[in-house]
Amino acid sequence: MNIPDIIIAVDGYSSTGKSTFAKMVAKEFAFLYLDSGAMYRGVALAAMEAGLVQEDARFDEPALQALLPTLDLHFRREDGTTKLFLGERCIEPDIRTLAVSNYASPVSALPFVRHFVDDKLHGFAADGRVIMDGRDIGTTVFPNAQVKIFMTAEPVERARRRYEELIAKGEKVTLEEVAKSLEERDYRDSHRSASPLRQADDAYELDNTHMSLHEELVWMLGLLQGKFGLLESPRLSW
Ligand code: DC
């Protein structure tokens, strides 16, 4: 299907399946997938490794501000997907732990960190035909994105999905811990003053609590067909 070289913004709460959805759409329609949350996770990891986390998940802000320009955080396409690198080191596995998740949220509330990440994201997306997921892509990073999706799912379902993901990776966590972490992150992400999570006025809401991945893809196809007046219905790859 001939979709123009647009930017697709996918925002929503934690563990609503944004990245799974965005990766699937990227593969189906040959878009570059970029995970903006990975950048905040990368900054959090670097801050943790540099010993800049203080009590109550506070950061040594002057030291972090000095560290940022030295961080070579970038995405590379590998094995059909995009992975985050810090210099030559692939940090994908390191940034997906519960500890990094918990620090990524407070680090992302710091305005100077948001500027740093936004600049990088604009650079990565400069060539267009990008699908990017996060919390403020449709509202702040790319307010002119041609297609904006806002993903939601019921909290119990989100906690269950995240818990299973972490357990499959061998992390020792309880469902209660995961549910609590999600609740705290959602609260922080949507109540911070710098670019809080909210649905853009022109975003389409996708509640996937009871949807399969295939149903999500069919939903997206319908949206793109309607939006770009594409009459022909392409065969989906799955
Ligand atoms: O999507 P994620 O869970 O990987 O994101 C990690 C953290 O980064 C999350 O707590 C919120 C923050 N984030 C953000 O503030 N803005 C974005 N565009 C993406 C993520």
Side-chain angles (χ1 to χ4, degrees):
M1 167 154 128
N2 252 349
I3 299 168
D5 288 348
I6 55 169
I7 290 189
I8 303 176
V10 181
D11 290 304
Y13 294 99
S14 302
S15 295
T16 43
K18 298 184 296 292
S19 65
T20 308
F21 171 78
K23 276 182 202 165
M24 171 175 72
V25 172
K27 194 161 173 230
E28 191 67 38
F29 303 115
F31 272 60
L32 173 66
Y33 165 64
L34 293 175
D35 172 1
S36 69
M39 292 293 293
Y40 292 104
R41 288 169 179 269
V43 172
L45 178 74
M48 288 160 75
E49 291 184 346
L52 305 185
V53 183
Q54 302 166 335
E55 278 180 26
D56 301 332
R58 291 188 165 279
F59 294 87
D60 177 342
E61 293 186 28
L64 181 55
Q65 216 158 353
L67 179 72
L68 288 184
T70 71
L71 294 182
D72 176 22
L73 278 172
H74 59 274
F75 291 99
R76 285 189 200 168
R77 283 184 112 149
E78 253 187 20
D79 309 326
T81 184
T82 21
K83 294 186 178 164
L84 189 66
F85 278 72
L86 181 57
E88 286 307 307
R89 170 182 164 207
C90 176
I91 55 171
E92 275 298 322
D94 311 280
I95 60 171
R96 305 290 164 193
T97 63
L98 191 59
V100 172
S101 300
N102 290 339
Y103 288 126
S105 180
V107 96
S108 71
L110 300 171
F112 65 87
V113 172
R114 300 206 73 82
H115 284 139
F116 168 80
V117 170
D118 287 358
D119 274 359
K120 295 251 179 212
L121 295 175
H122 283 132
F124 298 148
D127 294 336
R129 205 169 182 84
V130 162
I131 181 163
M132 188 182 292
D133 73 337
R135 302 294 188 291
D136 64 338
I137 308 306
T139 50
T140 304
V141 184
F142 290 112
N144 297 327
Q146 293 87 338
V147 174
K148 300 180 186 177
I149 319 282
F150 191 82
M151 291 184 67
T152 62
E154 282 167 19
V156 178
E157 175 61 15
R158 293 196 278 130
R160 191 193 60 77
R161 290 179 193 165
R162 184 83 185 115
Y163 170 74
E164 282 176 6
E165 232 174 73
L166 290 168
I167 291 293
K169 279 192 288 188
E171 279 215 44
K172 294 199 176 15
V173 288
T174 64
L175 185 59
E176 289 69 34
E177 276 173 333
V178 173
K180 186 164 173 280
S181 153
L182 278 185
E183 200 184 318
E184 286 174 0
R185 286 170 61 198
D186 286 348
Y187 184 86
R188 255 193 258 122
D189 294 344
S190 44
H191 287 81
R192 64 179 177 226
S193 53
S195 206
L197 165 67
R198 68 170 182 84
Q199 181 168 356
D201 295 337
D202 51 351
Y204 297 88
E205 184 173 325
L206 172 59
D207 180 337
N208 67 6
T209 309
H210 303 293
M211 283 172 91
S212 67
L213 280 180
H214 185 74
E215 285 167 335
E216 289 181 32
L217 190 56
V218 171
W219 178 89
M220 186 63 177
L221 180 61
L223 193 155
L224 293 170
Q225 279 183 305
K227 200 156 175 84
F228 297 106
L230 305 161
L231 296 175
E232 152 222 11
S233 191
R235 207 154 356 125
L236 294 172
S237 65
W238 62 284

